[in-house]
Amino acid sequence: MSSGMDDVFGEKERYRPASPESWRTIERWAGTELPDDYKKFIDGYGDAVIFRHLFIAHPEGVDPLLKVMQEERKTFLEGVDGQFGESPSESTGLGTFLPWAYHDFNGDVCLLVPPSDQNSDWCVAVAFRQCPEVQIFPGGVSEFLQSLAGGTFPRGWPHVGFDWTSAHESPLI
């Protein structure tokens, strides 16, 4: 993570990163290699709730990341027009977006937006559950989390300061 992320989140809360095999399984399903800043963040702080409402799954957490990605993807795509495969690698358009977190206050889903012809970098999107809208935020996970720490939240999210709480019964403690 960048030094800015270190300034916001401090020392890692998790000292056992996910196994390389766990990440490979997720990346095979996704059909792409995930951004390094995202994986470092998840390894250090995943299986937790940050900003009091944003659940961040970990590959080996109480609610494993791949399971969260698959379930949240299915829910997200129910409200989207188009034909989508079982995995992002078998899909196009919004079907390639990868859920990585969900907001337990209002059910919004945070998604990783893979690079494309229009954008060479990873971005973050928020799918608002209360209305059929997807907002894309430039920059990756680090930039998105830094903006939250700076007090810039997506529409409808409670404005709270940084807070990190381990997921209930996390095996990573």
Side-chain angles (χ1 to χ4, degrees), residues 12-23:
K12 290 192 322 187
E13 296 286 344
R14 302 289 187 216
Y15 301 101
R16 185 179 58 123
S19 71
E21 182 54 36
S22 292
W23 283 117

Side-chain angles (χ1 to χ4, degrees), residues 31-51:
T32 188
E33 187 174 324
L34 298 172
D36 286 337
D37 70 324
Y38 167 70
K39 293 193 305 189
K40 287 177 185 175
F41 177 76
I42 297 301
D43 277 343
Y45 299 94
D47 206 28
V49 177
I50 62 172
F51 299 102

Side-chain angles (χ1 to χ4, degrees), residues 106-125:
N106 57 16
D108 295 346
V109 177
C110 293
L111 304 137
L112 292 169
V113 180
S116 66
D117 293 338
Q118 294 80 26
N119 188 1
S120 61
D121 296 321
W122 285 86
C123 294
V124 169

